[in-house]
Amino acid sequence: MIPWEPYKLENIVDPYPMYQWLRENDPVHKTINGDYVITKYQDVKQILNDKRCDTGIRLDWLRENESQLSDQLNISFEPLKIALSAFPLFMNGDDHERIKKFMHGVWEVRDYSQLIDIIIDRLAKQITLSDTFNFIETFANKLPLHTISAILGIDQNDLNILMAETKKFFNIMDIYVSISKLKSEVDSAIILIAILENTFELKFINPDESLISAILKKNDEENNPLSKPEVLSVCFSFLAGGKETSSGLIGNAMYYLGKHTVWQSYLKEQPEKYVNFINEIVRFDPPAQLSVRKNRNELHLGNRTIPKNSTLIVSMASANRDEQETLHANEFTIDSNLKNLSFGSGAHYCMGDWLGKSQATALIKYFNEIYHEISVIGLPIYNSNLTIRTLSKLVLQVKP
């Protein structure tokens, strides 16, 4: 048996039996590549909080292999490097603190419920009750993109382009690089940079209440302002990150709701529990499944010693179901309120968790309150990105 086969179809569909086997039999598993897969709660939490375990491996890999890859594929990787240059997920130490402090200065928890409701109402007009429809294409992908684009202040006429290009660009976040997809990711970075630069020009001339206007204004006031590539990368972080993880959360939540009519009834009777339901989805089947670190020092986990500069694949999704840490962690319970690491821990904790949960809660509540019954038709289809668990197809039928 090969315990770590993440791209095997059955593990794409349901990775949790694989994670459970690893937790119980080989919680610090050395892969055939020499990487280490970490699956137990305390080990994962330790690495996520250890400042000696660096993130940013993808950007480092790109810089180290740029010359060879550029010759091999006959392209420049400069657009991709610009897009990732100030991505907090790929930064460490003082550079990370500088960018995070800047982003916190413009990004605050706000009530976007009215905006979210308006977008949901607009999207809902696209379906008819007599039809089955792919919930992912119709809602799960569109709501997060429309929401973060409106917050950023990007022209809504660019939404179709953004939908296609953010999806391709986000492949760069997967734990294993597909060389064949790199050109597509570079092309997407070029297109997205052009859209952002055009938005910058418009906001310089006519500043407004948008997030991009706030970013440009704050940067103009900084004693040590961000470079133009860094400003672009910060916007990439909001745009790409805000779309993909929220889409995964919404899709997973609707799948679980559609498969369990008893939960539909329960939530109708106790609407205050919608927040609990989404929080349990975040824990039990999170969109952010894995994160990658590199340890600068020798690391000791359990009875295994990990050499310094090893690649560590830490599974938050597995850690959340560690029953040695929390009883019944491998069971879905709306009122469980069990601890989880789904949005990370420590310095790299996700800044936008609240917005993703707000959108998921609003959309699930809308569907469950409007329709008498929601049914999943056929089997869902999952994308093969290991880092972010998202659906590409979830066919629903709704009854008034």
Side-chain angles (χ1 to χ4, degrees):
M1 174 185 179
I2 301 175
W4 177 244
E5 292 186 289
Y7 285 111
K8 193 174 182 179
L9 180 58
E10 65 188 65
N11 292 330
I12 291 291
V13 173
D14 183 5
Y16 298 104
M18 174 181 67
Y19 292 147
Q20 183 174 0
W21 190 95
L22 286 167
R23 279 197 312 274
E24 294 175 353
N25 297 279
D26 194 5
V28 183
H29 171 70
K30 187 174 183 179
T31 73
I32 58 175
N33 300 332
D35 304 334
Y36 291 86
V37 181
I38 317 299
T39 50
K40 291 186 69 64
Y41 184 94
Q42 288 298 334
D43 293 341
V44 169
K45 185 176 181 180
Q46 176 184 329
I47 292 170
L48 292 177
N49 285 283
D50 193 336
K51 294 184 178 180
R52 298 167 300 173
C53 293
D54 291 335
T55 183
I57 292 175
R58 181 51 34 78
L59 189 55
D60 291 341
W61 176 88
L62 191 61
R63 288 167 173 158
E64 291 168 3
N65 295 277
E66 180 179 9
S67 177
Q68 176 185 346
L69 290 170
S70 294
D71 292 341
Q72 181 180 341
L73 300 175
N74 194 30
I75 55 175
S76 168
F77 284 93
E78 195 60 29
L80 206 52
K81 288 164 56 185
I82 288 173
L84 300 177
S85 62
F87 233 81
L89 187 64
F90 294 137
M91 305 184 79
N92 300 285
D94 292 342
D95 290 336
H96 178 257
E97 288 299 317
R98 171 173 169 258
I99 295 298
K100 189 172 71 170
K101 181 179 178 180
F102 179 90
M103 293 176 73
H104 275 299
V106 295
W107 181 245
E108 57 184 354
V109 176
R110 293 177 57 183
D111 183 5
Y112 287 111
S113 58
Q114 185 175 4
L115 170 64
I116 293 168
D117 288 343
I118 289 171
I119 295 171
I120 291 173
D121 286 338
R122 186 170 68 229
L123 295 175
K125 294 176 181 178
Q126 301 174 14
I127 66 170
T128 58
L129 294 181
S130 60
D131 295 336
T132 59
F133 60 95
N134 184 355
F135 175 78
I136 305 304
E137 289 182 353
T138 312
F139 285 94
N141 286 343
K142 288 185 177 180
L143 176 59
L145 183 68
H146 289 213
T147 301
I148 194 62
S149 297
I151 292 170
L152 284 165
I154 296 174
D155 191 331
Q156 299 297 285
N157 291 322
D158 291 324
L159 286 174
N160 287 337
I161 298 173
L162 287 172
M163 180 65 70
E165 302 308 328
T166 52
K167 188 69 179 177
K168 288 187 286 185
F169 171 78
F170 214 80
N171 285 323
I172 195 66
M173 306 299 177
D174 206 358
I175 59 172
Y176 297 119
V177 177
S178 171
I179 303 298
S180 62
K181 292 181 180 179
L182 275 174
K183 186 179 187 306
S184 172
E185 291 156 11
V186 170
D187 291 341
S188 293
I190 292 170
I191 293 169
L192 293 171
I193 286 171
I195 290 174
L196 289 171
E197 287 181 330
N198 181 60
T199 306
F200 290 174
E201 291 178 12
L202 295 174
K203 302 305 179 186
F204 272 126
I205 298 170
N206 294 305
D208 53 23
E209 297 300 313
S210 68
L211 181 56
I212 284 181
S213 282
I215 289 170
L216 298 176
K217 181 177 183 295
K218 178 171 177 57
N219 200 47
D220 191 52
E221 297 169 349
E222 290 282 294
N223 292 327
N224 182 25
L226 306 188
S227 65
K228 183 179 178 181
E230 287 175 327
V231 174
L232 282 166
S233 184
V234 164
C235 292
F236 262 89
S237 178
F238 283 122
L239 181 62
K243 186 261 179 184
E244 205 67 11
T245 51
S246 297
S247 175
L249 174 57
I250 290 168
N252 290 348
M254 183 55 76
Y255 173 66
Y256 280 87
L257 186 71
K259 292 292 289 184
H260 300 90
T261 55
V262 64
W263 294 345
Q264 296 173 33
S265 299
Y266 176 79
L267 292 172
K268 283 183 173 73
E269 294 169 0
Q270 301 190 57
E272 73 277 5
K273 298 293 187 179
Y274 281 105
V275 172
N276 301 57
F277 176 74
I278 295 302
N279 285 337
E280 180 65 350
I281 293 292
V282 166
R283 183 196 72 83
F284 191 73
D285 195 5
Q289 295 264 305
L290 304 167
S291 186
V292 180
R293 297 289 192 271
K294 181 166 286 190
N295 53 315
R296 281 184 268 126
N297 302 91
E298 187 176 82
L299 184 64
H300 301 278
L301 294 176
N303 59 1
R304 188 182 286 274
T305 298
I306 302 176
K308 67 178 182 179
N309 296 323
S310 296
T311 297
L312 313 174
I313 301 170
V314 294
S315 174
M316 295 85 71
S318 173
N320 291 347
R321 296 198 186 194
D322 187 350
E323 292 192 305
Q324 287 190 6
E325 180 66 24
T326 306
L327 193 64
H328 305 305
N330 210 21
E331 302 172 12
F332 187 100
T333 309
I334 291 178
D335 294 315
S336 69
N337 198 31
L338 298 179
K339 57 188 177 181
N340 69 80
L341 299 170
S342 297
F343 288 105
S345 184
H348 290 88
Y349 186 86
C350 176
M351 294 174 58
D353 63 319
W354 58 273
L355 182 60
K357 289 192 285 188
S358 295
Q359 293 173 87
T361 302
L363 187 53
I364 292 300
K365 183 177 181 180
Y366 175 90
F367 263 79
N368 201 43
E369 298 296 326
I370 289 291
Y371 302 118
H372 173 69
E373 186 176 333
I374 304 164
S375 301
V376 174
I377 306 299
L379 296 175
I381 298 176
Y382 288 86
N383 293 307
S384 59
N385 189 308
L386 303 180
T387 304
I388 304 297
R389 180 167 164 82
T390 58
L391 286 156
S392 63
K393 187 176 182 180
L394 179 66
V395 177
L396 295 185
Q397 187 172 54
V398 293
K399 298 178 182 179

